[in-house]
Amino acid sequence: MERFRFLTAGESHGPMLGAVVEGVPAGLALTEADLAVDLARRQRGYGRGARQAIEQDRARILSGVRHGYTMGSPILLEVENRDWANWTRVMQVGPLSDEEAAEIAALAADGNKRARPITAVRPGHADLAGALKYGFNDVRNSLERSSARETTARVAAGGVARAFLRALGIEVWSFTAEVGGVAVDPASCTRTRDEADASPLRCPDPVAEAAMIARIDEARSQGDTVGGVFEVVVHGAPIGLGSYTHWDRKLDAALAATVMSINIVKGVELGLGFEQTRRFGSQVHDVIERRNPDGTWVHRTNNAGGLTGGVTNGEPIIVRGAVKPISTLARPLPTADLVTGEELEKAHYERSDISVVPAAGVVGEAMVMLTLASFVLEKTGGDSMAEIADNLRRYQARIAAAPAVPVPGTKAGGHAANETPGA
Ligand code: EPS
């Protein structure tokens, strides 16, 4: 069974978002303050909308942790939606009484957009397909869950995975690599990781960032939205996570799937990604230079993004997510009505963000961390942090040693002789 699995629940304007993280080993130090860091990072970024001024995302830990340490039992996390206070009637969980239904009707008649059923489906959003699939005549029922607000719960769960990976020496970060066609230039990435993280777009290149901000302003002034690319970088992953032996054991495939599952992501690249197709092999493949005395291996480049054959090769893992422009436009596109099927001049609009690339990067980190945590546990086994750290240390020492010189025709059949039981 998959380890470190998680489920999220919650609507954008409901009372809360929740996550259950199952399969977390015992003995991991974990506090609510640990989880607050990424939740705050996800809320930031130039181009965010009015909703973020309302929310102050904090995760409560409701189970699985005692006196600051995990116990191996499921961890239940809850993040309050502060905006819920403005939606209690419209998003009420219990059945509506006649008086309550009349209250909503009166609000709608008064011009309150929240109280009105939504049928002007937004191009590019899950509205149309979602409402048809589940049989709704009010898109409110689908947009509340398809909203990217759900990614808050993923980031809370991702914080648990970060604590786990960090305890094993694995660090995960991300940055904004591109907005609206403006890309970072590696030569002018002068900011440190902390400086980049604190910058308006979480971008290491201050020159490119200024041009990205101009693109966001341009979109805003035209009632439009703009997308981009985030890059997640993993340092310290041991060689040998994932496997080439079967399609569903490949770590690269799992990362592609989990990063693609982020609401706004329409493409995923690993390492050089699609650029590899435009070059000859000699310009793509990472020359293996040597084994160091400490057993680590050196590649001349990292175009593979740390993964070859679906297996980590000791280089940093590089995952890039393509973020489409948000589909809720202040100057809405034309659409058709869900109920009448007739043309409408404008799709639904309440309020929205202009650009969310820095926030999407933090969600990308969460998905990468949750995926990696599961693959680390698959490699090491173990139920407590002490056991896992021990297993990982022994495995790393084993692969750091030179294999025995192979002798043709020996019974070991290609196994390093000292590793073969009974040899
Ligand atoms: C979203 C619409 C906006 C965004 C929201 C995603 O919410 P609202 O309709 O309340 O203004 O702010 O994202 C978040 C709330 C968040 O925390 O990321 C959508 O329709 O997907």
Side-chain angles (χ1 to χ4, degrees):
M1 187 189 291
E2 192 196 333
R3 305 285 303 265
F4 229 103
R5 57 197 173 135
F6 75 106
L7 285 172
T8 73
E11 277 72 41
S12 180
H13 304 101
M16 58 104 230
L17 298 153
V20 182
V21 193
E22 199 278 324
V24 182
L28 174 67
L30 187 71
T31 64
E32 292 178 355
D34 293 333
L35 307 182
V37 178
D38 287 335
L39 287 169
R41 290 171 71 232
R42 195 201 70 92
Q43 286 204 269
R44 291 190 47 246
Y46 191 84
R48 288 290 249 163
R51 176 75 185 271
Q52 296 315 314
I54 300 172
E55 304 299 343
Q56 289 169 19
D57 295 334
R58 295 278 300 194
R60 288 180 66 208
I61 301 175
L62 295 167
S63 73
V65 179
R66 179 167 179 252
H67 299 166
Y69 287 92
T70 58
M71 298 181 286
S73 46
I75 298 176
L76 174 61
L77 304 172
E78 181 191 272
V79 180
E80 178 197 1
N81 281 325
R82 288 167 63 108
D83 205 15
W84 157 248
N86 305 313
W87 292 80
T88 47
R89 189 65 75 218
V90 173
M91 290 300 294
Q92 176 174 311
V93 173
L96 286 176
S97 66
D98 290 345
E99 295 74 41
E100 288 163 347
E103 192 187 317
I104 292 180
L107 283 171
D110 222 27
N112 185 327
K113 271 190 167 184
R114 289 177 190 164
R116 284 195 193 149
I118 299 165
T119 58
V121 287
R122 290 165 294 178
H125 214 283
D127 293 356
L128 177 62
L132 292 174
K133 176 177 170 65
Y134 288 96
F136 300 140
N137 62 3
D138 178 0
V139 174
R140 172 69 56 205
N141 282 342
S142 56
L143 73 77
E144 283 291 333
R145 181 63 185 164
S146 62
S147 163
R149 176 85 187 135
E150 182 268 344
T151 61
T152 310
R154 301 199 205 191
V155 170
V160 182
R162 185 185 293 286
F164 170 74
L165 295 172
R166 187 167 276 169
L168 300 173
I170 304 169
E171 284 293 335
V172 181
W173 183 60
S174 74
F175 61 89
T176 297
E178 213 171 304
V179 170
V182 178
V184 294
D185 173 358
S188 43
C189 286
T190 52
R191 286 177 175 152
T192 63
R193 205 171 116 168
D194 285 347
E195 287 167 352
D197 225 48
S199 74
L201 287 177
R202 292 203 318 102
C203 181
D205 174 351
V207 182
E209 187 184 56
M212 292 173 183
I213 287 173
R215 290 290 278 160
I216 295 170
D217 290 341
E218 186 187 339
R220 189 196 315 270
S221 70
Q222 293 169 8
D224 218 324
T225 59
V226 64
V229 177
F230 63 78
E231 183 165 321
V232 180
V233 186
V234 181
H235 288 277
I239 296 174
L241 301 182
S243 175
Y244 61 86
T245 58
H246 201 251
W247 66 267
D248 57 355
R249 293 182 177 276
K250 288 175 181 265
L251 177 56
D252 50 6
L255 289 170
T258 52
V259 172
M260 185 67 101
S261 78
I262 300 168
N263 307 42
I264 208 157
V265 169
K266 292 299 265 184
V268 182
E269 287 185 321
L270 300 173
L272 215 48
F274 278 33
E275 174 59 24
Q276 300 187 43
T277 65
R278 301 173 199 120
R279 302 186 185 183
F280 287 132
S282 57
Q283 261 91 58
V284 168
H285 299 299
D286 305 310
V287 170
I288 301 163
E289 293 198 324
R290 64 180 179 281
R291 180 178 57 217
N292 287 323
D294 67 357
T296 54
W297 288 83
V298 180
H299 295 79
R300 191 171 294 166
T301 49
N302 184 24
N303 293 335
L307 284 151
T308 34
V311 187
T312 50
N313 64 13
E315 295 294 332
I317 301 171
I318 314 281
V319 188
R320 291 159 63 87
V323 174
K324 70 178 179 181
I326 289 164
S327 48
T328 309
L329 307 187
R331 186 178 292 169
L333 289 168
T335 189
D337 187 275
L338 171 69
V339 175
T340 67
E342 285 167 4
E343 281 176 38
L344 293 174
E345 252 175 56
K346 287 179 180 181
H348 174 72
Y349 178 75
E350 272 167 25
R351 66 179 176 202
S352 184
D353 306 294
I354 312 295
S355 183
V356 288
V357 185
V362 177
V363 184
E365 290 173 25
M367 295 312 292
V368 167
M369 292 188 293
L370 287 155
T371 309
L372 271 182
S374 176
F375 276 72
V376 167
L377 281 169
E378 182 203 51
K379 180 76 192 116
T380 61
D383 297 300
S384 69
M385 288 308 290
E387 187 181 3
I388 290 159
D390 223 35
N391 291 351
L392 184 60
R393 222 179 357 258
R394 271 189 291 120
Y395 162 70
Q396 286 182 299
R398 180 177 297 219
I399 64 166
V405 177
V407 180
T410 50
K411 283 198 217 160
H415 296 274
N418 56 352
E419 304 295 336
T420 310

